[in-house]
Amino acid sequence: MTRTVYVNGSFVAEDEACISIFDRGFLFADAVYEVTSVLDGRLIDFAGHMKRLARSLRELSMPAPADEAALLEIHRELVRLNDVVEGLVYLQVSRGAAERDFAWGVDMQPSLVMFTQSKPLIANPLAATGVRVITWPDQRWGRRDIKTVQLLYSSLAKMAAKEQGCGDAWLVEDGLVTEGTSNNAWIVTRDGVLVTRGLSHDILHGITRAAVMRLAGEAQIKVEERPFTVAEAQEAAEAFSTSASAFVMPVVAIDGVELGDGKPGPVARRLREIYVEESRRAAV
Ligand code: PMP
């Protein structure tokens, strides 16, 4: 079955979609993206993703390809055309196409590409077993708060994890965990306190991170926003990661050191449940 995707104003079959080889997204990774999850055919935290998209665009002086209402309509139409009940909608905005030159023209027309992936998110088998992670030096650029498509370094780290029989890598800078390759990193201390790195240019400002922080507060779970070392994480009662595509994902081992009994912990499991329940309720 071929998907219907969206390219600059048109809904087309995926094998007929095209974009210029001079697109700066292709030549310079001059593009930003968002990934919104779909549950029951509805969008999770759409407003949060659009707010972050606007911020990424602003930080790169890139014009918005469409307003939020138009983007919501395109998201909904793609979900409908592809019968997505559970899955993801990817949105990618590049600065557009021009003759190859490091400097860009200020009047360029951005390109907008969107596509869906249908996949089970709630019944993700990894949620039952948890994920084993390796640690890996964080050698990405210094503006990780901007959600650009320059994901090669994260792909290399993920491949290194795979080669070691693990599911992901936690990136480390100056001895402190920044985040996962495509998620925010959390630990649960032995006193039951959630710890996750504070917002700065060092990490992506995760939409799921923000939601979990709010839900933890409502559930009277204490949250500390501060960096933590690999050793502190290995000593923790539990660990997990958060992302729009994997929700709250338990982490059960770090560099071969198992946390607790090596199974998903109760706090991560509970937060996953609360997150899914609340997200379904508030979906649009
Ligand atoms: N950090 C990185 C590097 C990511 O790629 C992602 C997911 N795109 C996240 C964190 C989590 O962000 P969100 O909860 O908005 O998906």
Side-chain angles (χ1 to χ4, degrees), residues 52 140 147 179 181-184 204 206-208 242-244:
R52 184 173 61 191
R140 298 172 299 165
K147 195 166 170 63
E179 57 185 337
T181 59
S182 59
N183 46 63
N184 290 113
L204 187 72
I207 304 303
T208 319
T242 53
S243 66

Side-chain angles (χ1 to χ4, degrees), residues 29 34 56 122 134 161 167 180 182 191 196 262-263:
E34 281 298 328
S56 293
I122 294 175
I134 61 164
S182 59
D191 299 329
T196 193
K263 298 201 174 78

Side-chain angles (χ1 to χ4, degrees), residues 54-266:
R55 182 177 181 280
S56 293
L57 292 169
R58 198 168 57 240
E59 292 295 311
L60 297 176
S61 307
M62 210 186 277
D67 65 23
E68 186 171 329
L71 291 174
L72 177 58
E73 274 321 300
I74 303 168
H75 274 77
R76 286 179 163 157
E77 185 62 4
L78 271 184
V79 166
R80 193 185 67 77
L81 289 169
N82 293 290
D83 293 320
V84 182
V85 178
E86 211 169 303
L88 303 166
V89 183
Y90 283 82
L91 169 158
Q92 195 155 319
V93 184
S94 78
R95 200 178 302 273
E99 185 54 46
R100 192 183 187 287
D101 187 346
F102 277 70
W104 63 75
V106 289
D107 54 353
M108 287 185 64
Q109 270 300 107
S111 278
L112 173 61
V113 170
M114 288 176 50
F115 59 92
T116 56
Q117 283 181 349
S118 281
K119 59 164 84 162
L121 302 180
I122 294 175
N124 184 342
L126 281 175
T129 58
V131 174
R132 303 175 74 87
V133 303
I134 61 164
T135 61
W136 198 253
D138 195 342
Q139 293 175 353
R140 298 172 299 165
W141 80 326
R143 289 303 305 273
R144 302 157 193 157
D145 56 311
I146 308 172
K147 195 166 170 63
T148 75
V149 301
Q150 24 166 341
L151 297 169
L152 179 56
Y153 189 79
S154 300
S155 294
L156 290 170
K158 183 98 174 178
M159 288 306 287
K162 259 183 108 167
E163 276 159 24
Q164 295 183 39
C166 289
D168 199 12
W170 275 14
L171 303 170
V172 179
E173 188 171 53
D174 301 328
L176 301 164
V177 174
T178 52
E179 57 185 337
T181 59
S182 59
N183 46 63
N184 290 113
W186 301 67
I187 57 171
V188 184
T189 68
R190 290 177 185 225
D191 299 329
V193 177
L194 299 186
V195 182
T196 193
R197 197 174 172 114
L199 298 181
S200 69
H201 290 174
D202 299 338
I203 61 166
L204 187 72
H205 302 184
I207 304 303
T208 319
R209 175 189 179 282
V212 168
M213 198 158 295
R214 179 172 51 79
L215 295 170
E218 286 169 15
Q220 320 283 325
I221 303 171
K222 198 172 161 217
V223 183
E224 276 176 20
E225 286 185 85
R226 62 166 175 84
F228 53 85
T229 62
V230 174
E232 184 180 7
Q234 287 173 324
E235 285 289 307
E238 295 182 36
F240 61 90
S241 63
T242 53
S243 66
S245 55
F247 306 153
V248 176
M249 181 56 70
V251 165
V252 294
I254 301 169
D255 284 338
V257 176
E258 293 197 336
L259 307 187
D261 60 1
K263 298 201 174 78

